[in-house]
Amino acid sequence: MRRGIAASALVAALAVSLAACGSSGSGSSKSADGPVTITYWDTSNATNEAPNYQALAQKFEAANPNIKVNFVNVPFDQAQNKLQTAMGSKGAPDVFRSEVGWTAAFAKAGYLTPLDGTAALPSASAFQPSLIKQASYQGKVYGVPLVTDTLGLMYNKALFAKAGITAAPTTWDELKTDAAALKDKAGVDGFWMRAADGYYVMPLLFGEGTDMVDAAGKKITVNSPQAAKAISTYQSLFTSPGTVKADVTTDSYAHMMDAFDNGKVAAIIQGPWEITNIYKGSAFSDKTNLGIAAVPAGSSGKAGAPTGGHNIAVFAGSDAAHQAAAEKFAAFMTSAESESFIAQKNSTLPTRSDAFTADVKADPGIAGFQAILPAAQPRPELPEYSSLFTSLGTNLGKIAQNQEGIQAGLDATAGDYAKLLPDFAK
Amino acid sequence: MTVAVQGTAGQGGRDRGSRPGPVQRLKLSYSKYWYAYAMAAPVVIVLGLLVAYPLGRGIYLTLTDATSLNVGHTVGVNHIPDTFKFVGLHNYQDVLFGPGSYDRFWSHFGWTVMWTALCVVLHYSLGLGLAMLLNQKLRGRTFYRMMLIVPWAVPTFVTVFSWRLMLADGGLVNSVLGSLHLGQPGWLSDPLAQKAAAILVNTWCGVPFMMVSLLGGLQSIPAELYEAAEMDGATAWQRFRHVTLPGLRSVSSTVVLLGIIWTFNQFVIIFLLFGQNAPDVQILVTWAYRLGFGQQPRDYAQSATYGIILLSILIVFTAFYQRWLKRNDQAAI
């Protein structure tokens, strides 16, 4: 009998909780003319970059007295997860800085509002066509390009000179030779490859003319012979003389940047988002000491690096007034004036040619990356593409530490991809 | 109300021969024990919300192919329906026997079992040693006790981050080892050293609890027993073996069971010490977390499957453990 009551109470409790879950999403729409507060999630570096974005947000508020911007900085490495959670339930921002790789997956999930013909994107032709393409999903644009980047070889010119090297290496073999020379003559580690991170291995894959998957041909290529060749080069970058052994600890990124900024390692593969931090390092108080070159080429003779960067995206779930305000905000943040302001402050690359003012080009870091940007490869329009890095990173860590054979590790990755992409051929 | 309760209760007690029907019985019971139900209702509701519903939902998810891409959600004005489908026991089959199941499940399972066993043995033996030390009458006992409690009182993440600094390549531990001309393992990167580091840190965090519990147990053993044993000429080892250990039995069995469950599910230490880049040192819980939250798209179904498997392992283990204890207790009497 007691049990009976308990069971009915349980049923009641379940009903209550289900009802609570079901009644979410009661939107309260406000009139369009009243003051609105939009929430903006900024994912830039909190100490170096975010203050400049915040300054822009304040300018926007001054120009639009009816709109308040609630500026929230979310650490980049947590942002995708947080956005995913927030947009799937409650507490999503009205507008946010979205990494280019997230666009397709978020758009597919219905989180983003298409921006074609809205106030957010008054003229798509102002932006680099490849970046607009990268922000599109199934023919609609879901983000306004804010900054763009690619990976390059960053090196310490003074250390290279000390080792008697006059030009940046253009192939991985040259890089290894230079690393050995740097260790011998300059007494520092020559090169630090980032371990256990799929993104940083893209130049090696592109250098062999392959990718993790062939999105157009619907084929998994991560365990192809070309990829295996790329990864064997990758593995050698931890063991050949003058290179730093694989660091797979949680702090590995910070370790790598500390070593480079302070002149303990002569070269790394890195993107422009670190330039402002690098200038703060003891080895680069003279900004011109930073050398920027294209990533080394693979055996195909071609060098390739992924196109990265961030878009401003507008959440699909906000009411009309908030969306209108968010679109205005997106347009403001990506105006030529705002972009060149950000470029000068943060040393990141604008996404429109009219933002490359003379002052912007004067920054040696930007000039260096601008030169190698045209060679960057945009991502395929595949919602799962950014998910592919997880499994690759895990297995790369094992390969870099020699715990797993190259082919075995890549086959394991391909097995994971087959689950993510059931209609792709192996 | 009170009168009615007394009346019906008396009647129910008298005619045992003809049992009233279920509805009748419900009414009787309700009128007799309504206050008990009223008292218990909040607990039942809370338990239902916090335990039964998530558990039921979890079990349901394990039978589907739900991921963050195909679970329905509401984005403001847009409603996106569920598109995941029922796949039966496929997830269990895939986790336990599917391709890559060794890499994904069994290797983590083996390490989880080893980790639990080693940690609990270390917790218990060190905890008991320290407890016996503190149970002596020595000067400044309270101070020592305080000092040994400190690792437990400090928030775990502070402890773990301090250890992460000390165990880093150029950290304190390796500097000391280097100055003694000993090897300097990569505590946070080399797979074997990672495991040692994980056990070390978990032992550091877990010993104080064992120590305090066992100290309480030791203090409850009457001193007369020791006196009597000494009178009978028992050696120190015999006193430990025949007085201390039996006296601690009830405390030990509880803390060891708790220790095993906690260590088996010890998420924080592994997660904070190594992050996601250490596939070899992940125990089942951290691996399940990674499947459910640490990757895109989130694999709810597989993560839930791991959760249910973990729960089953612990339930089966606890059942056997309890039975074993009971048998031992009966043997002791």
Side-chain angles (χ1 to χ4, degrees), chain A residues 106-265:
Chain A
F106 283 168
K108 189 183 175 191
Y111 294 146
L112 307 183
T113 193
L115 299 174
D116 318 70
T118 66
L121 196 61
S123 144
S125 58
F127 297 91
Q128 268 182 52
S130 67
L131 298 180
I132 288 289
K133 192 164 178 292
Q134 188 156 258
S136 304
Y137 179 66
Q138 296 188 342
K140 289 180 184 159
V141 183
Y142 284 95
V144 194
L146 175 69
V147 293
T148 182
D149 60 55
T150 185
L151 290 174
L153 179 77
M154 291 191 178
Y155 61 97
N156 186 323
K157 284 183 187 167
L159 290 175
F160 268 53
K162 206 170 164 190
I165 304 163
T166 46
T170 55
T171 66
W172 295 106
D173 284 334
E174 275 179 44
L175 176 71
K176 282 190 255 178
T177 318
D178 288 352
L182 280 156
K183 186 81 188 174
D184 278 351
K185 294 180 194 153
V188 294
D189 287 320
F191 179 67
W192 187 318
M193 183 71 193
R194 183 146 166 71
D197 188 330
Y199 192 70
Y200 286 80
V201 91
M202 297 313 290
L204 286 144
L205 290 175
F206 290 154
E208 299 299 328
T210 187
D211 192 350
M212 299 183 284
V213 293
D214 173 2
K218 295 214 164 211
K219 193 168 181 329
I220 294 168
T221 52
V222 76
N223 55 347
S224 65
Q226 293 91 327
K229 187 150 191 261
I231 302 307
S232 84
T233 309
Y234 169 78
Q235 201 182 31
S236 72
L237 293 174
F238 300 106
T239 51
S240 86
T243 59
V244 178
K245 79 175 170 84
D247 181 355
V248 297
T249 63
T250 336
D251 306 316
S252 56
Y253 188 87
H255 291 161
M256 173 174 83
M257 292 318 299
D258 280 350
F260 184 69
D261 297 352
N262 298 316
K264 296 198 176 90
V265 64

Side-chain angles (χ1 to χ4, degrees), chain B residues 22-142:
Chain B
V23 180
Q24 191 73 21
R25 275 193 288 157
L26 200 68
K27 267 189 197 158
L28 282 177
S29 150
Y30 176 74
S31 52
K32 191 170 172 189
Y33 298 117
W34 63 271
Y35 52 90
Y37 291 133
M39 295 290 198
V43 180
V44 173
I45 291 173
V46 169
L47 278 183
L49 281 175
L50 293 184
V51 179
Y53 170 67
L55 189 62
R57 174 86 180 158
I59 293 175
Y60 168 67
L61 282 178
T62 65
L63 304 175
T64 66
D65 63 351
T67 66
S68 55
L69 292 179
N70 58 18
V71 167
H73 45 256
T74 303
V75 180
V77 287
N78 311 339
H79 297 276
I80 295 159
D82 285 333
T83 50
F84 61 86
K85 52 186 190 299
F86 189 81
V87 296
L89 294 174
H90 171 80
N91 283 314
Y92 292 96
Q93 196 250 328
D94 187 48
V95 167
L96 297 175
F97 312 111
S101 60
Y102 174 74
D103 228 19
R104 298 171 145 265
F105 181 81
W106 293 109
S107 62
H108 296 298
F109 175 77
W111 159 234
T112 308
V113 170
M114 205 167 81
W115 142 269
T116 309
L118 284 171
C119 282
V120 174
V121 165
L122 282 170
H123 285 168
Y124 187 80
S125 49
L126 291 177
L128 182 60
L130 287 172
M132 290 183 53
L133 205 67
L134 287 183
N135 202 28
Q136 313 292 319
K137 287 195 175 56
L138 66 147
R139 197 187 289 266
R141 190 160 72 152
T142 326

Side-chain angles (χ1 to χ4, degrees), chain A residues 304-350:
Chain A
T307 308
H310 300 271
N311 302 325
I312 297 276
V314 177
F315 179 51
S318 307
D319 62 34
H322 281 85
Q323 263 190 36
E327 282 162 6
K328 260 191 185 173
F329 181 70
F332 178 85
M333 293 294 272
T334 53
S335 67
E337 197 189 336
S338 300
E339 284 202 358
S340 61
F341 170 79
I342 285 297
Q344 286 170 64
K345 292 282 184 185
N346 292 352
S347 293
T348 50
L349 297 164

Side-chain angles (χ1 to χ4, degrees), chain A residues 81 387 394 401 403 416, chain B residues 104 164 189 280 290 296 298:
Chain A
N81 216 346
S387 307
T394 304
Q401 286 191 295
Q403 286 173 62
D416 289 340
Chain B
R104 298 171 145 265
R164 206 163 91 184
S189 52
D280 286 283
R290 179 180 168 149
Q296 294 292 336
R298 301 171 174 188

Side-chain angles (χ1 to χ4, degrees), chain B:
Chain B
M1 194 67 193
T2 336
V3 177
V5 167
Q6 279 170 348
T8 46
Q11 206 179 22
R14 247 177 280 131
D15 25 80
R16 282 227 154 215
S18 61
R19 274 165 64 87
V23 180
Q24 191 73 21
R25 275 193 288 157
L26 200 68
K27 267 189 197 158
L28 282 177
S29 150
Y30 176 74
S31 52
K32 191 170 172 189
Y33 298 117
W34 63 271
Y35 52 90
Y37 291 133
M39 295 290 198
V43 180
V44 173
I45 291 173
V46 169
L47 278 183
L49 281 175
L50 293 184
V51 179
Y53 170 67
L55 189 62
R57 174 86 180 158
I59 293 175
Y60 168 67
L61 282 178
T62 65
L63 304 175
T64 66
D65 63 351
T67 66
S68 55
L69 292 179
N70 58 18
V71 167
H73 45 256
T74 303
V75 180
V77 287
N78 311 339
H79 297 276
I80 295 159
D82 285 333
T83 50
F84 61 86
K85 52 186 190 299
F86 189 81
V87 296
L89 294 174
H90 171 80
N91 283 314
Y92 292 96
Q93 196 250 328
D94 187 48
V95 167
L96 297 175
F97 312 111
S101 60
Y102 174 74
D103 228 19
R104 298 171 145 265
F105 181 81
W106 293 109
S107 62
H108 296 298
F109 175 77
W111 159 234
T112 308
V113 170
M114 205 167 81
W115 142 269
T116 309
L118 284 171
C119 282
V120 174
V121 165
L122 282 170
H123 285 168
Y124 187 80
S125 49
L126 291 177
L128 182 60
L130 287 172
M132 290 183 53
L133 205 67
L134 287 183
N135 202 28
Q136 313 292 319
K137 287 195 175 56
L138 66 147
R139 197 187 289 266
R141 190 160 72 152
T142 326
F143 173 75
Y144 294 130
R145 209 180 291 180
M146 285 285 291
M147 290 315 289
L148 286 165
I149 288 289
V150 164
W152 198 37
V154 173
T156 318
F157 82 93
V158 176
T159 316
V160 177
F161 284 153
S162 323
W163 275 105
R164 206 163 91 184
L165 282 178
M166 289 193 282
L167 291 170
D169 276 352
L172 184 70
V173 174
N174 276 354
S175 309
V176 170
L177 287 177
S179 65
L180 297 172
H181 302 288
L182 294 170
Q184 301 183 23
W187 295 107
L188 301 177
S189 52
D190 177 51
L192 196 67
Q194 276 178 335
K195 290 181 176 175
I199 290 173
L200 171 78
V201 176
N202 191 38
T203 304
W204 172 267
C205 293
V207 162
F209 168 76
M210 284 284 184
M211 186 192 72
V212 172
S213 313
L214 293 173
L215 188 56
L218 284 176
Q219 284 170 346
S220 72
I221 301 174
E224 294 83 52
L225 287 180
Y226 288 103
E227 281 166 24
E230 250 172 294
M231 296 281 272
D232 292 344
T235 62
W237 169 249
Q238 279 170 327
R239 272 176 310 197
F240 175 74
R241 175 83 182 71
H242 297 288
V243 180
T244 309
L245 282 185
L248 283 177
R249 183 191 293 278
S250 59
V251 179
S252 301
S253 59
T254 311
V255 292
V256 167
L257 179 63
L258 279 178
I260 288 174
I261 293 176
W262 285 344
T263 312
F264 197 80
N265 288 332
Q266 179 53 272
F267 177 82
V268 182
I269 289 178
I270 305 263
F271 185 76
L272 293 183
L273 207 51
F274 305 108
Q276 306 241 336
N277 272 346
D280 286 283
V281 80
Q282 304 290 334
I283 56 174
L284 288 172
V285 187
T286 54
W287 192 251
Y289 169 83
R290 179 180 168 149
L291 289 174
F293 300 94
Q295 64 175 31
Q296 294 292 336
R298 301 171 174 188
D299 195 338
Y300 298 141
Q302 291 254 333
S303 183
T305 308
Y306 270 78
I308 299 297
I309 292 175
L310 278 173
L311 186 65
S312 317
I313 293 173
L314 284 179
I315 287 174
V316 170
F317 168 77
T318 310
F320 274 102
Y321 183 79
Q322 297 284 23
R323 190 176 295 178
W324 178 75
L325 278 184
K326 220 184 238 171
R327 211 175 45 218
N328 269 19
D329 277 350
Q330 275 161 358
I333 299 161

